């Protein structure tokens, strides 16, 4: 009985919030905050993509890039901005093999990620005024298919086998001239008594 009463109170409170538009204002403020976070994330993503484009990136840059895209995706789905979330999801998926270290980012992938980021920027900008991202419905599947296709063709990281490493090490050693050096016996610091 108490649980039913609490549920009724919660329902009434929620209805009052909606009726007074307080809930909408809270949601709207949260969305605006999310869009501001998107703007910052877009800048950081662009910075990481520029490093990848110059081949000056590290694994940390790739991980940060992935996290930024993941954050946009999560927030987008939270606020029902599905087209924005879908593009971010496609970007995230295309980076998976690069992030795992099994494949290298290609110039084509980087270019497509830049284009995808431009679309994300346009969606975020339009969501501030039109409140939905339905006008981008046609481009989302094109981006998704393109990124999927490009990521399936990424070059694999060439790993050297341990045999190759041993042979390389042996060739380095053979090039080094070893000289006979007289080595003195170290003098004991502590004498043992018998």
């Amino acid at each position: 009985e108490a649980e039913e009463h609490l549920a009724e109170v919660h329902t009434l409170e929620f209805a009052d919030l909606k009726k007074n538009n307080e809930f909408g204002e809270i949601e709207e403020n949260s969305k605006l905050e999310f869009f501001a976070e998107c703007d910052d994330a877009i800048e950081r993503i662009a910075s990481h993509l520029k490093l990848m484009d110059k081949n000056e990136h590290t694994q940390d840059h790739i991980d940060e890039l992935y996290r930024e895209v993941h954050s946009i995706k999560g927030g987008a789905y939270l606020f029902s901005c599905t087209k924005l979330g879908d593009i971010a999801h496609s970007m995230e998926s295309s980076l998976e093999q690069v992030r795992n270290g099994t494949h290298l980012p290609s110039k084509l992938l980087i270019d497509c990620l830049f284009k995808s980021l431009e679309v994300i920027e346009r969606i975020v900008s339009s969501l501030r005024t039109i409140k939905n991202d339905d006008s981008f419905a046609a481009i989302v599947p094109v981006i998704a298919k393109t990124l999927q296709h490009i990521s399936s063709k990424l070059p694999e990281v060439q790993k050297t086998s341990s045999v190759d490493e041993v042979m390389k090490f042996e060739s380095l050693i053979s090039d080094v001239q070893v000289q006979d050096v007289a080595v003195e016996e170290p003098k004991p610091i502590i004498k043992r008594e018998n």
Side-chain angles (χ1 to χ4, degrees):
E1 196 174 298
E3 290 175 6
E4 289 175 12
H5 180 65
L6 285 175
E8 185 179 341
V9 168
H10 176 69
T11 304
L12 291 173
E13 286 175 2
F14 183 74
D16 286 343
L17 282 174
K18 269 188 123 170
K19 185 170 49 177
N20 295 331
N21 202 23
E22 290 174 28
F23 182 77
E25 288 175 23
I26 292 169
E27 184 177 327
E28 190 60 31
N29 288 339
S30 296
K31 270 188 177 181
L32 292 175
E33 195 174 307
F34 167 65
F35 296 148
E37 289 172 9
C38 282
D39 292 339
D40 294 341
I42 289 167
E43 285 182 33
R44 290 188 295 268
I45 291 168
S47 175
H48 293 307
L49 287 175
K50 287 174 187 172
L51 288 172
M52 285 176 71
D53 196 33
K54 296 179 196 173
N55 201 23
E56 296 175 358
H57 63 282
T58 65
Q59 185 62 43
D60 288 340
H61 294 124
I62 293 169
D63 290 341
E64 290 170 21
L65 168 63
Y66 187 89
R67 278 192 297 275
E68 295 292 349
V69 172
H70 181 79
S71 294
I72 290 175
K73 178 187 82 171
Y77 287 141
L78 177 68
F79 291 110
S80 301
C81 305
T82 54
K83 307 306 179 266
L84 177 61
D86 290 349
I87 291 176
H89 178 71
S90 295
M91 289 176 71
E92 185 182 51
S93 295
S94 72
L95 288 165
E96 195 69 39
Q97 295 172 323
V98 175
R99 184 175 184 232
N100 290 337
T102 59
H103 292 75
L104 299 170
S106 67
K107 176 77 172 136
L108 194 55
L109 174 65
I110 296 166
D111 289 345
C112 194
L113 289 169
F114 269 120
K115 292 292 183 195
S116 301
L117 188 61
E118 288 174 21
V119 173
I120 283 179
E121 191 170 26
R122 287 181 29 220
I123 291 174
V124 170
S125 178
S126 74
L127 283 171
R128 286 184 164 101
T129 56
I130 64 171
K131 308 299 180 212
N132 70 53
D133 56 0
D134 292 340
S135 59
F136 294 90
I139 197 164
V140 173
V142 174
I143 290 173
K145 279 185 177 182
T146 304
L147 283 169
Q148 182 181 18
H149 177 74
I150 292 170
S151 66
S152 72
K153 306 288 184 196
L154 291 176
E156 288 186 38
V157 171
Q158 297 299 315
K159 303 210 181 223
T160 57
S161 69
S162 57
V163 173
D164 292 338
E165 290 296 321
V166 169
M167 291 176 67
K168 189 180 196 181
F169 181 72
E170 286 177 352
S171 73
L172 287 172
I173 289 175
S174 68
D175 292 342
V176 175
Q177 297 291 328
V178 179
Q179 298 176 355
D180 289 332
V181 177
V183 178
E184 281 186 34
E185 272 297 314
K187 296 179 183 174
I189 298 173
I190 302 174
K191 289 191 174 188
R192 289 190 185 169
E193 292 182 27
N194 289 340

